[in-house]
Amino acid sequence: MQKSYVRGTWQQKRAFSPCVITQGAGRTIYVAGHTGQVDDAGKSLAGDFDAQFHQTFRNIEKTLAEAGAKLSDMVTMTMFLIDARYTTRMTELRSALFGTDFPASAAITVQGFAQPEMMIEVQGIAVAD
Amino acid sequence: MQKSYVRGTWQQKRAFSPCVITQGAGRTIYVAGHTGQVDDAGKSLAGDFDAQFHQTFRNIEKTLAEAGAKLSDMVTMTMFLIDARYTTRMTELRSALFGTDFPASAAITVQGFAQPEMMIEVQGIAVAD
Amino acid sequence: MQKSYVRGTWQQKRAFSPCVITQGAGRTIYVAGHTGQVDDAGKSLAGDFDAQFHQTFRNIEKTLAEAGAKLSDMVTMTMFLIDARYTTRMTELRSALFGTDFPASAAITVQGFAQPEMMIEVQGIAVAD
């Protein structure tokens, strides 16, 4: 499987790629919407956006690990946020998380999620050998 | 084409899989957002969430049938809902619909849809031989 | 790579396909959420839905061109809109843009985007040889 990035210009500062291209035999991993309103010990993370962001991606990483894949295999994500004012902070956290090879992504502010404590939900696709 | 599921734990009660993995030669079917605000006879289903849920998936099944595929071929879905309070009911209906092999899914509450009667819209991807 | 369309009936007037089917060796291009709140010269398009629609797709076309693909390679899109009342106008503009071979699509009204001027964001997938 081959993967390449169209990296854009300003998009790198927002920690996403305008597009990611895959080709050839690989596994496509359809990743459900993940959230992070409680930590691994079951403690509520209500009201703490940074903590929910990190927990959400820890949860995604666990799911990907069960599929034999890792976070850097993500090729596209939709980041659903509870408030548009978290968008810039989200991109800062995402930059630290992904480093240089960013998935394609959209950042959408929505009305709500399954539970009122949720502040972020991330759905996407990973492609791995 | 091979398909496998990461089934998770509590996720099975919410009728979705944390991720679904596909590999090998198959057809990928990109399914548009489907809704169910009118029944097959054209009668309005405004205000009836259960009915719109069932009609939405009947419509998806018709589309998949035209592609030579079936509902169990769905690998991921985004369930857009008009009110977060329908989320749990949606998962109950989805459990009855899919049985044991659940697609990946996100449940997102949104501001609205193309028409004011719509209470649910489902977009996704199916993979079939 | 082979591509085929389930074209539906009334869906053609709304400028989308109920589903699009791809099969065989091709490149899958995961396209990030694109917006169009400023034109190519950096001038604000705040408040002008038609202009933002056109700019959004010009931006998508630029991204696809960098991937060696074109707009007609899009197989699915999620159109996030700031107001449900733009939905019909969006389908009119989309009809003129795509002609006859429409991607699958969902039209979802959302709370907001990264910046308050944004009226539309489009995320999707293209498949090309």
Side-chain angles (χ1 to χ4, degrees):
Chain A
M1 190 271 301
Q2 298 159 297
K3 181 159 58 165
S4 62
Y5 295 81
V6 169
R7 295 183 191 277
T9 52
W10 61 268
Q11 292 93 341
Q12 297 181 51
K13 286 176 194 150
R14 302 289 286 183
F16 76 96
S17 294
C19 74
V20 179
I21 306 142
T22 66
Q23 185 169 29
R27 295 178 301 136
T28 304
I29 302 160
Y30 296 93
V31 179
H34 282 63
T35 61
Q37 75 279 11
V38 292
D39 70 12
D40 290 339
K43 186 176 142 272
S44 173
L45 299 175
D48 187 340
F49 181 78
D50 280 29
Q52 290 203 20
F53 177 96
H54 290 301
Q55 187 65 43
T56 296
F57 279 97
R58 261 199 297 276
N59 293 343
I60 290 176
E61 281 186 303
K62 278 181 222 164
T63 291
L64 289 171
E66 291 197 65
K70 51 195 192 310
L71 199 56
S72 58
D73 296 321
M74 293 297 294
V75 292
T76 193
M77 307 189 294
T78 310
M79 321 277 297
F80 297 105
L81 306 174
I82 201 59
D83 191 313
R85 289 168 290 186
Y86 292 123
T87 311
T88 293
R89 181 62 183 151
M90 178 275 285
T91 64
E92 292 168 355
L93 296 170
R94 188 167 62 185
S95 183
L97 190 65
F98 282 92
T100 52
D101 289 344
F102 301 119
S105 180
I108 307 295
T109 309
V110 297
Q111 191 84 352
F113 302 110
Q115 296 174 28
E117 298 80 9
M118 295 173 178
M119 304 170 81
I120 179 170
E121 179 159 344
V122 180
Q123 183 178 31
I125 301 174
V127 178
D129 282 315
Chain B
M1 191 271 301
Q2 298 159 296
K3 181 160 57 166
S4 63
Y5 295 81
V6 170
R7 295 182 191 277
T9 52
W10 60 269
Q11 292 92 342
Q12 297 179 51
K13 286 176 193 150
R14 303 289 286 183
F16 75 96
S17 295
C19 72
V20 179
I21 306 142
T22 65
Q23 185 168 30
R27 295 179 301 135
T28 304
I29 302 160
Y30 297 92
V31 178
H34 281 64
T35 61
Q37 75 279 11
V38 292
D39 70 12
D40 290 340
K43 185 176 143 271
S44 173
L45 299 174
D48 187 340
F49 181 78
D50 280 29
Q52 290 203 19
F53 177 96
H54 289 301
Q55 187 66 43
T56 295
F57 279 97
R58 261 199 296 278
N59 293 343
I60 290 175
E61 281 186 302
K62 277 181 223 165
T63 291
L64 288 171
E66 291 197 65
K70 51 197 191 310
L71 200 55
S72 58
D73 296 321
M74 292 297 295
V75 292
T76 193
M77 305 190 295
T78 310
M79 321 276 297
F80 297 104
L81 305 174
I82 201 60
D83 191 314
R85 289 168 290 187
Y86 292 124
T87 311
T88 293
R89 181 63 183 149
M90 178 274 288
T91 64
E92 293 168 356
L93 297 170
R94 188 166 61 185
S95 184
L97 189 65
F98 282 92
T100 53
D101 289 343
F102 301 119
S105 181
I108 307 295
T109 310
V110 296
Q111 190 84 351
F113 302 109
Q115 295 175 29
E117 298 81 9
M118 296 174 177
M119 304 171 80
I120 180 171
E121 179 159 345
V122 180
Q123 183 179 31
I125 301 174
V127 177
D129 282 316
Chain C
M1 192 270 302
Q2 297 158 298
K3 182 160 57 164
S4 62
Y5 295 81
V6 170
R7 295 182 190 277
T9 52
W10 61 268
Q11 292 92 340
Q12 297 181 52
K13 286 176 192 150
R14 302 289 286 184
F16 75 96
S17 294
C19 73
V20 179
I21 306 142
T22 65
Q23 184 167 29
R27 295 179 301 136
T28 304
I29 302 160
Y30 296 93
V31 179
H34 281 63
T35 60
Q37 76 279 10
V38 291
D39 70 12
D40 290 339
K43 186 177 143 270
S44 172
L45 299 175
D48 187 340
F49 181 78
D50 280 30
Q52 291 203 20
F53 177 96
H54 289 302
Q55 186 66 43
T56 295
F57 278 97
R58 261 199 298 277
N59 293 343
I60 290 175
E61 281 187 302
K62 278 181 222 165
T63 291
L64 289 171
E66 291 198 64
K70 51 196 193 307
L71 200 55
S72 58
D73 295 321
M74 292 299 293
V75 292
T76 192
M77 306 189 295
T78 310
M79 320 277 296
F80 297 106
L81 305 173
I82 201 60
D83 191 315
R85 290 168 288 187
Y86 292 124
T87 311
T88 293
R89 181 61 183 152
M90 178 275 286
T91 64
E92 292 168 355
L93 296 170
R94 188 167 61 186
S95 184
L97 190 64
F98 282 92
T100 53
D101 289 343
F102 301 119
S105 181
I108 307 295
T109 310
V110 296
Q111 191 84 350
F113 302 109
Q115 295 174 28
E117 298 80 9
M118 295 173 176
M119 305 170 79
I120 180 170
E121 180 158 344
V122 180
Q123 183 178 31
I125 300 174
V127 178
D129 282 315

